[in-house]
Amino acid sequence: MQRMFMRRVVLALLLMLAATALTFWLVTAAPGNVAALIAERAAGAGADGEMIAKIADDLGLNDPLPVRYARWLGDALTGDFGVSLRTGKPMAEEFAERIPMTLALLTGGGVLALVLSLAMGIAGAASNGGIVDRLLHGMALIGASTPNFFVAAMLVIVFSVWLGMVPTFGVSGLTSWLLPWITIALFPASVLARVVRVNLQDTMSRPFATTGFAKGLTRRAVLLREALPNIAIPYMTTFGAQFTLMIIGAIVVERVFGLNGVGAFFIEAIRFRDFIGMQATLTLFVVFFVSINLLVDLLAMLADPRLRRPKKA
């Protein structure tokens, strides 16, 4: 088992390496001259070709791309992601200020998605084709089909503008997190609710569930005691995938609700052509995606002995 764990970790590291190389190439291939941008912001209209050439030489922008990537990767491994062209601050400082905000958004949204999906899925399975099941199915379809920005706008109009129940911008207490959490949790909760409902329906038709009914257990008892534990692995893997995708939703949610997180910084970096900030933020996203999927993969292997068995040739 230890060998399989190490193999997954090594594969994850290789995936991170490949992803960072690809993002580095994409960012450097984007239109614009980093040296010219730096010179323009430093000297304004006084920037000339000689100054731009000197900056490019000092930054090593004339070196071959593999050399530049190797130098950037070496610095990144020590925590040095460069200095943001937009703010003039080291990216390590920007991340230290913004990551806690994004983590709070993702953690709250993830917990809410977990609770809502299990509640909706179990209630739908208990109803089994009844009016509650159909109603929850419709709600899940709407939730999975509605864009984050539209959900955010509707929540702000109803609960902030019309009812005045919660703030609309920034962080001023626990209530200010409610609308961002609901917005970012709606899509994954809807998808996960259908995963729970479909897998419970499939599990309830298996022999061990039939045995439970033969013992005189009620449908609810069989559902909770026998069926629910058996959907842990598919639910866990789907939850991990949806949780990683929430970082994309965070880019929109942070902008709408004025949260000073990593997603909002990424949008500003794109707008101001902050190539250093873009590269650092994309690298952070890659590490987040791969790390969460690796963690879920390892937890699934611990929970299910079948996944720990080596595959036969």
Side-chain angles (χ1 to χ4, degrees):
M1 185 176 70
Q2 185 177 2
R3 180 180 297 179
M4 295 185 66
F5 279 10
M6 292 303 300
R7 181 182 178 186
R8 299 296 175 90
V9 172
V10 170
L11 288 175
L13 293 176
L14 292 176
L15 180 59
M16 287 185 189
L17 182 65
T20 55
L22 177 61
T23 56
F24 186 85
W25 176 77
L26 290 174
V27 170
T28 54
N33 188 326
V34 176
L37 288 173
I38 296 176
E40 181 182 347
R41 290 171 188 176
D48 54 15
E50 183 179 352
M51 182 180 181
I52 294 174
K54 185 177 184 306
I55 292 175
D57 186 62
D58 292 341
L59 295 178
L61 299 179
N62 297 323
D63 295 336
L65 187 61
V67 175
R68 293 166 57 188
Y69 171 71
R71 182 168 55 241
W72 173 87
L73 182 62
D75 293 336
L77 291 175
T78 64
D80 181 8
F81 293 95
V83 177
S84 171
L85 300 179
R86 185 177 68 87
T87 65
K89 296 172 59 176
M91 287 305 305
E93 294 184 12
E94 292 285 357
F95 286 158
E97 295 175 2
R98 297 171 180 272
I99 286 178
M101 183 73 69
T102 302
L103 282 180
L105 176 64
L106 295 179
T107 301
V111 171
L112 185 59
L114 176 71
V115 173
L116 287 177
S117 62
L118 288 176
M120 293 172 64
I122 293 173
S127 176
N128 193 28
I131 186 171
V132 174
D133 189 16
R134 296 178 183 178
L135 179 62
L136 292 175
H137 178 64
M139 292 174 59
L141 287 178
I142 294 174
S145 307
T146 309
N148 280 336
F149 66 87
F150 183 80
V151 174
M154 291 297 100
L155 290 176
V156 168
I157 292 174
V158 174
F159 293 100
S160 297
V161 179
W162 291 353
L163 301 179
M165 296 174 59
V166 292
T168 60
F169 196 83
V171 178
S172 57
L174 183 61
T175 56
S176 62
W177 285 103
L178 295 179
L179 296 188
W181 283 343
I182 294 173
T183 303
I184 202 170
L186 182 61
F187 178 83
S190 301
V191 173
L192 290 166
R194 295 312 304 163
V195 171
V196 173
R197 175 67 182 91
V198 170
N199 280 276
L200 284 178
Q201 183 179 13
D202 177 68
T203 307
M204 290 291 285
S205 63
R206 295 184 181 178
F208 62 84
T210 306
T211 303
F213 287 121
K215 293 179 180 179
L217 297 177
T218 63
R219 178 177 178 81
R220 179 170 298 181
V222 174
L223 190 69
L224 297 177
R225 297 180 188 177
E226 306 294 338
L228 190 60
N230 282 274
I231 70 167
I233 301 302
Y235 180 83
M236 186 186 304
T237 54
T238 309
F239 180 84
Q242 291 300 316
F243 187 73
T244 55
L245 291 177
M246 285 173 66
I247 192 67
I248 300 176
I251 296 175
V252 176
V253 173
E254 288 179 0
R255 291 289 294 170
V256 172
F257 292 101
L259 302 178
N260 193 27
V262 177
F265 177 85
F266 183 61
I267 294 296
E268 292 299 320
I270 295 175
R271 289 182 57 197
F272 286 87
R273 295 192 295 173
D274 182 358
F275 297 103
I276 296 176
M278 290 165 55
Q279 176 62 40
T281 308
L282 286 172
T283 301
L284 185 66
F285 290 165
V286 167
V287 172
F288 175 78
F289 271 89
V290 177
S291 298
I292 293 298
N293 281 285
L294 174 63
L295 178 62
V296 171
D297 201 11
L298 296 180
L299 290 176
M301 291 174 61
L302 289 174
D304 191 346
R306 294 172 298 180
L307 300 177
R308 300 197 296 266
R309 297 173 184 171
K311 295 181 179 180
K312 297 181 180 180

